[in-house]
Amino acid sequence: MRVTLTALHKMCDEGDRITMLTCYDGSFAGLLEAAGVDVLLVGDSLGNVIQAEDTTLPVTMDHMVYHTRCVARGSKRAFLVTDMPFGSFQVSPAATFENAARLMAVGAQMVKVEGGQTIADTVEFLTSRGIPVCGHVGLTPQSVHQLGGYRVQGKTDKAARQLIRDAQALEQAGAGMIVLELVPASLSAQVSEKLRIPTIGIGAGKACDGQVLVLYDMLNIFPGKKARFVKNYMEAAGTIQGAVEAFVKEVKTGSFPAPEHSF
Ligand code: KIV
């Protein structure tokens, strides 16, 4: 039996931190859930780490369907979230539903969409038709060209107020979970305080209800300088299983992210 969204909400209510890692294939799916990861995110970061693209923008619905099917077949217990790729939810409501339904049909239990207030109507359209939605605010990689790079968001008072409004609008529209990416720790603490749904941070400090990292980053697949919020779990663990188990343990005990991984 897979972890459910209800179970994730209960974990959040009880202060049990949620662990999430990106996953793109069946072999890793089995390994990650055996190591105790609660949620597998079939992220469109597969554009960067699998396809060697510079951005996530070239990722298509067909790619996401393929990788979601692989992850679903390789796992039995973890909750599965899949990204809706760039351009797949900015279309007509009917086409957006059709795209989300394709992902659900191959095993996603929830779809993730990037954006705030401006996509609240899309979130409402999907959730009111039975498709659970995870929001994603802060640094939204699909808007990298508009944002002018991969930078910390919500740094000014005005931007922070807007980010809070965005997160609240998504919750009101029915989102069941929300990713906060590259957000100052104090701001994500405020957002987490204001929302009832779980917040999952990446470069957003330790006050979130859970944490996510890109699997290939925490496994140090690409050696060299890492973003500040990434921890190389292979360094101490030595094995992939040990690295993932250490991530799970550190998130659950609240020792990751440390101040040096936060803004
Ligand atoms: O695609 C992805 O990997 C993501 C995470 C950065 C949250 O959306």
Side-chain angles (χ1 to χ4, degrees):
M1 167 80 179
R2 284 197 187 270
V3 173
T4 60
L5 184 56
T6 310
L8 295 175
H9 284 189
K10 187 158 179 271
M11 286 172 70
C12 171
D13 291 344
E14 293 174 353
D16 180 5
R17 293 187 183 83
I18 297 166
T19 53
M20 182 192 281
L21 284 174
T22 65
C23 186
Y24 318 103
D25 69 73
S27 306
F28 269 119
L31 188 150
L32 299 188
E33 69 174 13
V37 176
D38 302 309
V39 184
L40 304 181
L41 169 64
V42 186
D44 62 355
S45 52
L46 67 85
N48 306 108
V49 300
I50 304 283
Q51 300 172 336
E53 299 281 5
D54 286 338
T55 70
T56 57
L57 301 181
V59 176
T60 66
M61 274 301 302
D62 285 349
H63 299 148
M64 297 311 293
V65 167
Y66 172 82
H67 287 279
T68 301
R69 191 192 295 271
C70 293
V71 172
R73 286 170 65 97
S75 60
K76 289 190 172 59
R77 187 197 59 82
F79 187 77
L80 299 194
V81 182
T82 293
D83 264 326
M84 293 196 70
F86 178 64
S88 69
F89 57 96
Q90 293 87 348
V91 286
S92 69
T96 299
F97 183 87
E98 203 175 306
N99 286 333
R102 281 184 72 195
L103 299 171
M104 302 296 284
V106 292
Q109 291 166 280
M110 176 176 242
V111 297
K112 178 161 81 57
V113 289
E114 295 185 7
Q117 264 182 327
T118 52
I119 60 151
D121 55 347
T122 303
V123 172
E124 214 218 312
F125 187 83
L126 292 175
T127 54
S128 62
R129 284 161 181 78
I131 298 192
V133 175
C134 179
H136 183 156
V137 297
L139 187 279
T140 44
Q142 292 173 10
S143 308
V144 61
H145 298 308
Q146 197 165 35
L147 296 173
Y150 297 98
R151 306 184 172 151
V152 179
Q153 303 295 306
K155 280 167 75 174
T156 64
D157 286 352
K158 188 172 170 216
R161 281 197 299 276
Q162 182 58 46
L163 195 141
I164 291 171
R165 278 197 293 273
D166 284 336
Q168 288 177 320
L170 294 172
E171 180 176 72
Q172 271 159 26
M177 193 153 66
I178 187 160
V179 167
L180 306 178
E181 179 165 357
L182 277 184
V183 173
S186 58
L187 176 57
S188 63
Q190 285 183 63
V191 174
S192 302
E193 179 66 33
K194 285 180 192 295
L195 299 193
R196 296 208 330 271
I197 57 173
T199 57
I200 311 293
I202 174 164
K206 67 190 297 180
C208 296
D209 303 302
Q211 298 292 331
V212 58
L213 283 177
V214 172
L215 178 66
Y216 285 33
D217 287 344
M218 57 85 78
L219 292 182
N220 196 32
I221 302 288
F222 308 108
K225 194 171 178 329
K226 305 241 169 313
R228 175 185 169 122
F229 60 85
V230 174
K231 176 165 176 181
N232 170 6
Y233 278 94
M234 279 301 273
E235 199 171 5
T239 66
I240 292 174
Q241 191 171 345
V244 177
E245 283 171 357
F247 168 76
V248 170
K249 189 169 170 202
E250 291 192 5
V251 172
K252 294 283 180 196
T253 57
S255 56
F256 177 80
E260 68 263 28
H261 306 117
S262 309
F263 301 94

